[in-house]
Amino acid sequence: MKKKKLIVLALIIVIASAGIGTSYAIAVDAFNTNGDSEYWYDVAFTFVSTSDNEYVKDVAFVDAIIIDDNNIEVSLTNAYPGYIAYIDFTITNTGIDPIIVDAVTINPYNTVALDVQVVDVIAGTILYVNGDIIDGQVTIEVLQGAAQGTIYPVTIDIGFADFIE
């Protein structure tokens, strides 16, 4: 009988101890079980500009626009073999928590006509706070297999994940 009383007393102490922290959190209004989570992370393309290797004549044209936070749409018009377009961009941490860049992906494009390379963006780069940036560049070289008078679209997509220390 005495052993049962000790077990019951031990259980009461454990339950009471567990409730002390919760009771304190509720008393100081720090325990909130409804509403939005405070943890939020995101990145976005915040800047894009273009240039090319044409100096004497402007025959080809490159255009790049940010279509949403994670994608840039690039189009080459009137491009010819040897033409190189440069797309400079900035990726910004727009969330309130650290993120890590998984990759910058070039979605499927015509590999016979174009060689597309991402420069200065490394998977694993950490953007610690809101406002941290990565400046990068995409170079698009038009190859011998390009058709005359064709518009070539290229979509650049960023991938990221939350950074857990």
Side-chain angles (χ1 to χ4, degrees), residues 121-145:
V121 176
I122 302 166
T125 301
I126 301 166
L127 300 172
Y128 288 100
V129 297
N130 182 290
D132 275 358
I133 65 168
I134 299 173
D135 290 319
Q137 185 180 71
V138 175
T139 58
I140 303 174
E141 181 176 357
V142 180
L143 305 174
Q144 290 297 324

Side-chain angles (χ1 to χ4, degrees), residues 39 96-100 126-129 161-165:
Y39 189 77
I96 58 174
D97 292 305
I99 57 97
I100 187 167
I126 301 166
L127 300 172
Y128 288 100
V129 297
D162 60 328
F163 175 69
I164 301 170
E165 294 182 272

Side-chain angles (χ1 to χ4, degrees), residues 27-103:
V28 297
D29 200 25
F31 185 74
N32 187 357
T33 59
N34 57 358
D36 295 332
S37 171
E38 290 289 325
Y39 189 77
W40 179 68
Y41 63 93
D42 201 6
V43 296
F45 282 110
T46 53
F47 173 78
V48 65
S49 68
T50 62
S51 60
D52 59 29
N53 66 339
E54 291 183 316
Y55 300 108
V56 178
K57 290 184 176 181
D58 261 345
V59 176
F61 181 71
V62 58
D63 186 39
I65 60 169
I66 299 171
I67 55 177
D68 61 32
D69 285 348
N70 299 68
N71 293 282
I72 293 176
E73 180 71 38
V74 178
S75 63
L76 300 179
T77 306
N78 225 14
Y80 52 86
Y83 176 76
I84 301 174
Y86 305 98
I87 298 86
D88 296 306
F89 61 87
T90 300
I91 299 171
T92 304
N93 179 349
T94 57
I96 58 174
D97 292 305
I99 57 97
I100 187 167
V101 176
D102 283 344

